[in-house]
Amino acid sequence: MARIGFVGLGNMGGPMARNLLRAGHELAVFDLSAEAMAHVPGARQTGSAAEAARGAEFVLTMLPAGQHVREAWIGAGGMADACAGDAVLIDCSTIDVATSREVATASGRAMLDAPVSGGVMGAEAGTLTFMVGGPDAAFARAEPVLAAMGRTIVHCGASGAGQAAKACNNMLLAISMIGTCEAFVLAERLGLSHQALFDVASKSSGQCWALTTYCPVPGPVPGSPANRDYRPGFAAALMAKDVGLAQQAAGETGAQTPLGAQALALYQRFVGDGNGGVDFSGIIRMLRGSKTETDG
Ligand code: NAD
């Protein structure tokens, strides 16, 4: 069993840390919030990120955004300097590819970017998907540790490749969700029932995850957030963040992603209208142009 430092014990990091403890690992933790640390009983609480990192074989972060990750790892008194020379550094936060690569290089250590999908439920259940970028040897050492928190672990390539995979996947998801919503809105105007569109499209070339697993209208897929007034699930604010990271990467690399840009604009408008905490499939209400039409 390994000695692990874990920094950032919020909605995702808390349950992930608890799963590491459950697997028998020894944990030193730090969060700016004492309450967050208290939610990981059995871990050794420390007074700083550097203290949590000291002496650990693996050091993980699960922080909100790129600036927090940069500051924690390579800022003044940062964790990278406190880590043992042979420690494996693992950032599980969702951040931009450029910052991820910058921090990995500046850390001067074996560092992996390992963002996740699966949300809070996946973090609780230990069924997350990890998308990992970084050196082969570090990945081989980290894989058993990640396996205590996830079910699918994919080594995507060199440093930054995990964040790249996350950005590309979530941009695709945002676009396909909006496309699925538009198809249902058009069906409503044409007098076609939700179920009829679902029965055809789920077996035809329009088939996609947003339709068959996460259907944005109530009825056809009973477990989807549409059936519980669009309670998340995956909050629209997080989707806007992720599509924003994809657009940042597109800008930096010169990739043409006009639908990604449009998806970002639509999710920003939806969040700006006060729907940040609504599931991202709830954007169908905005796309209808009124709340008066029924969800049914
Ligand atoms: P959160 O806001 O619940 O948790 C972040 C935690 O980091 C908080 O407890 C905060 O106190 C702590 N923190 C912030 N700065 C710190 C610092 N400098 N030192 C120590 N602790 C610090 O966020 P979350 O939902 O757990 O998300 C974390 C990351 O996971 C984000 O990058 C998010 O995009 C990504 N993510 C979230 C989900 C989700 O469904 N929530 C799904 C996939 C990926």
Side-chain angles (χ1 to χ4, degrees):
M1 288 300 119
R3 285 190 314 282
I4 298 174
F6 202 119
V7 175
L9 304 163
N11 292 325
M12 296 293 288
M16 289 165 71
R18 289 197 292 274
N19 280 329
L20 288 172
L21 282 171
R22 241 172 249 139
H25 297 295
E26 194 184 309
L27 235 63
V29 297
F30 176 68
D31 194 291
L32 292 176
S33 152
E35 193 191 339
M37 283 200 279
H39 285 137
V40 189
R44 179 167 64 85
Q45 298 186 10
T46 69
S48 71
E51 202 185 325
R54 208 163 287 128
E57 297 157 82
F58 299 89
V59 183
L60 284 81
T61 43
M62 192 50 163
L63 297 168
Q67 73 266 24
H68 307 101
V69 172
R70 183 190 287 111
E71 182 57 31
W73 283 107
I74 59 174
M79 300 161 67
D81 287 340
C83 288
D86 60 353
V88 177
L89 286 50
I90 308 171
D91 177 41
C92 298
S93 325
T94 301
I95 67 170
D96 63 286
V97 177
T99 300
S100 183
R101 288 182 175 148
E102 174 205 330
V103 172
T105 302
S107 75
R109 306 293 168 100
M111 184 158 192
L112 301 171
D113 48 295
V116 303
S117 79
V120 176
M121 279 170 64
E124 299 274 2
T127 56
L128 293 170
T129 294
F130 284 91
M131 300 151 242
V132 189
D136 291 346
F139 177 76
R141 284 182 61 199
E143 202 174 6
V145 171
L146 300 179
M149 302 177 285
R151 191 159 52 192
T152 306
I153 301 159
V154 183
H155 191 195
C156 300
S159 180
Q163 297 294 352
K166 171 97 183 170
C168 293
N169 179 72
N170 280 23
M171 181 181 77
L172 178 57
L173 173 60
I175 293 169
S176 60
M177 177 54 79
I178 291 168
T180 302
C181 291
E182 288 188 0
F184 277 110
V185 170
L186 179 59
E188 288 165 3
R189 296 295 165 102
L190 293 171
L192 179 66
S193 76
H194 291 161
Q195 192 64 49
L197 173 60
F198 180 86
D199 289 345
V200 171
S202 64
K203 298 280 185 289
S204 304
S205 44
Q207 190 272 338
C208 63
W209 186 91
L211 175 72
T212 57
T213 303
Y214 217 83
C215 189
V217 294
V221 178
S224 77
N227 297 281
R228 49 174 197 264
D229 201 27
Y230 299 97
R231 269 186 290 109
F234 185 45
L238 287 173
M239 178 53 97
K241 173 196 167 182
D242 290 357
V243 189
L245 293 174
Q247 282 308 289
Q248 186 181 333
E252 286 164 0
T253 57
Q256 298 296 308
T257 55
L259 289 183
Q262 190 61 37
L264 176 60
L266 289 168
Y267 272 108
Q268 282 175 332
R269 176 146 68 89
F270 187 56
V271 171
D273 287 347
N275 297 303
V278 174
D279 187 79
F280 80 112
S281 61
I283 199 165
I284 192 169
R285 288 178 163 163
M286 185 181 89
L287 294 169
R288 282 192 185 105
S290 84
K291 284 191 175 182
T292 53
E293 265 172 280
T294 66
D295 290 328

